[in-house]
């Protein structure tokens, strides 16, 4: 406990409070308490990481896999403040999200005007992408069979596309995102992916397959249909191998209580931050049909998220 207090630079008078925080974190499975060892000075015991807190470590072997920035973005004042305005938001009939009501602009505008938050957000998405795409390739690598070109639509700073391009060097990977996101990417002439700045509502570069990871849940049904119609224009026919690969939540896809709870919680978080929602299979099916797609396949292999292949 003393080591922890020193590492956190807490005043000695705050030690009793730290003990109370640790008690909650142990009860919620973030840390595990180790039996006090002989020689302990009685300062309050030892703790070890659990699988949950291991995911947040930013040093050593785990550095490249840490999901800490994902937690930091969710807990940033810009994201938490709109949640505290929900009571007021629920009483208004205005067509704006609680995020817009609080900050006067939507998430993507704020990301471009508050560079520090934008960077935190992009880093969070990139770390999540590295984490989940490794899993996708390991558990469902066949999804990328027969693809020679892929555009990661609204692909952020390229975290997901780089994992695909590294695992399958024959796939030419391109990332499309808004200009302010492209401007934040340091030039790297040896990069395995290409970048295109643009608005997916207007134009999507052509490819055998398009990836939409954690994108459609940010948008209303109407906008999803618009985006998917644009996507359909950018891929070849089903016979020629065209498809869309979506990585998102399919509510009800898992029988595990923890995954179900996470899906429901994400639905609420998304509804505070964006006009989007987490969809069940019926809701996905309906927007695919409206956008002119004829077939889809859901693979619930990513914990609370799924891979959905959608064919023209
Ligand atoms: C939740 S993030 C997902 C990023 C990435 N797919 C990932 O999972 O790491 C949504 C992304 O959509 C991008 N975006 C929002 N509106 C867009 C638009 N109209 N055209 C292209 N990208 C857009 C944002 O800049 C952001 O990078």
């Amino acid at each position: 406990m003393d080591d922890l207090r020193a590492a956190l630079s807490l005043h000695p008078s705050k030690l009793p409070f730290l003990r109370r925080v640790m008690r909650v974190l142990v009860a919620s499975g973030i840390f595990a308490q180790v039996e006090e060892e002989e020689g302990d000075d009685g300062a309050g015991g030892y703790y070890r990481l659990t699988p949950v807190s291991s995911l947040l470590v930013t040093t050593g072997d785990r550095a490249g896999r840490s999901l800490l920035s994902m937690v930091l973005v969710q807990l940033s004042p810009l994201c938490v403040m709109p949640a505290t305005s929900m009571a007021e938001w629920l009483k208004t009939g205005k067509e704006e999200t609680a995020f817009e009501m609080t900050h006067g602009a939507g998430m993507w505008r704020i990301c471009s005007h508050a560079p520090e938050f934008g960077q935190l957000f992009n880093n969070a998405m990139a770390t999540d992408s590295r984490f989940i795409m490794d899993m996708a390739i390991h558990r469902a690598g066949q999804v990328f069979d027969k693809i020679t070109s892929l555009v990661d639509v609204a692909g952020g700073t390229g975290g997901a596309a780089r994992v695909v391009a590294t695992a399958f060097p024959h796939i030419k990977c391109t990332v499309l995102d808004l200009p302010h996101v492209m401007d934040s990417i340091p030039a790297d002439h040896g990069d395995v992916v290409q970048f295109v700045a643009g608005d997916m509502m207007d134009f999507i570069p052509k490819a055998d397959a398009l990836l939409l990871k954690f994108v459609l849940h940010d948008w209303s049904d109407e906008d999803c249909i618009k985006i998917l119609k644009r996507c359909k224009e950018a891929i070849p026919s089903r016979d020629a191998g065209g498809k869309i690969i979506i990585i998102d939540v399919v509510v009800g896809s898992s029988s595990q209580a923890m995954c179900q709870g996470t899906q429901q919680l994400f639905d609420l978080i998304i509804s505070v931050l964006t006009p989007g929602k987490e969809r069940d299979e019926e809701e996905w099916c309906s927007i695919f049909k409206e956008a002119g797609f004829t077939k889809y396949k859901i693979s619930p292999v990513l914990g609370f998220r799924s891979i959905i292949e959608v064919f023209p």
Side-chain angles (χ1 to χ4, degrees):
M1 185 72 89
D2 269 342
D3 292 345
L4 198 51
R5 186 186 61 73
L8 294 169
S9 314
L10 302 189
H11 190 271
S13 67
K14 298 295 186 318
L15 189 61
F17 181 73
L18 179 60
R19 197 171 286 133
R20 285 153 66 189
V21 171
M22 291 308 289
R23 191 167 56 187
V24 173
L25 294 176
V26 168
S28 52
I30 310 290
F31 292 107
Q33 186 147 23
V34 178
E35 289 300 309
E36 281 190 30
E37 289 176 15
E38 226 171 276
D40 180 19
D41 60 2
Y46 296 89
Y47 300 90
R48 63 177 164 74
L49 296 171
T50 61
V52 178
S53 41
S54 299
L55 292 172
L56 306 179
V57 174
T58 54
T59 51
D61 294 353
R62 297 185 176 115
R65 293 274 172 280
S66 173
L67 291 176
L68 179 66
S69 53
M70 203 63 183
V71 175
L72 292 181
V73 83
Q74 311 256 359
L75 296 180
S76 68
L78 276 169
C79 289
V80 171
M81 270 162 62
T84 64
S85 309
M86 284 309 269
E88 190 190 334
W89 178 77
L90 285 164
K91 289 181 190 134
T92 75
K94 281 195 198 158
E95 276 208 22
E96 62 180 3
T97 60
F99 189 94
E100 286 163 341
M101 188 185 83
T102 308
H103 300 304
M107 176 65 91
W108 316 126
R109 179 101 61 90
I110 294 292
C111 279
S112 75
H113 285 85
E116 230 171 80
F117 176 73
Q119 198 179 349
L120 177 66
F121 185 89
N122 292 338
N123 286 347
M125 294 317 304
T127 53
D128 175 63
S129 285
R130 286 193 290 273
F131 177 76
I132 205 81
M133 291 312 289
D134 270 351
M135 203 186 288
I137 287 168
H138 185 68
R139 296 184 178 172
Q142 73 284 356
V143 165
F144 299 94
D145 281 356
K146 297 189 190 143
I147 294 174
T148 61
S149 57
L150 178 118
V151 173
D152 188 1
V153 179
T157 51
R162 283 196 196 94
V163 177
V164 175
T166 305
F168 307 107
H170 64 281
I171 302 182
K172 180 178 172 252
C173 291
T174 305
V175 179
L176 171 75
D177 209 295
L178 295 169
H180 74 266
V181 177
M182 295 293 110
D183 291 346
S184 74
I185 302 169
D188 174 359
H189 300 296
D191 207 330
V192 289
V193 302
Q194 292 181 347
F195 292 94
V196 174
D199 185 334
M200 65 183 162
M201 296 292 182
D202 297 333
F203 168 74
I204 293 175
K206 288 195 183 309
D208 291 344
L210 306 178
L211 176 65
L212 284 160
K213 180 202 153 260
F214 243 25
V215 173
L216 294 178
H217 76 162
D218 295 333
W219 298 89
S220 66
D221 287 354
E222 294 70 29
D223 281 333
C224 283
I225 292 164
K226 205 165 146 190
I227 295 165
L228 286 169
K229 281 184 175 168
R230 278 270 175 272
C231 288
K232 194 160 171 272
E233 292 164 4
I235 54 169
S237 66
R238 183 177 353 161
D239 292 343
K243 71 169 157 180
I244 316 287
I245 303 164
I246 295 171
I247 295 186
D248 236 321
V249 167
V250 178
V251 174
S253 63
S254 171
S255 55
Q256 283 184 17
M258 193 192 278
C259 285
Q260 289 174 355
T262 308
Q263 292 177 341
Q264 289 155 9
L265 187 62
F266 254 84
D267 182 46
L268 278 192
I269 294 171
I270 281 297
S271 70
V272 172
L273 303 179
T274 74
K277 60 179 172 182
E278 303 300 357
R279 297 175 169 87
D280 62 21
E281 180 170 351
E282 206 177 303
E283 291 169 313
W284 279 114
C285 180
S286 158
I287 63 171
F288 296 154
K289 262 197 201 152
E290 279 290 318
F293 290 87
T294 57
K295 198 179 156 205
Y296 67 89
K297 180 182 172 205
I298 296 174
S299 305
V301 292
L302 305 176
F304 75 100
R305 288 179 272 188
S306 294
I307 301 178
I308 316 174
E309 294 163 86
V310 192
F311 305 92

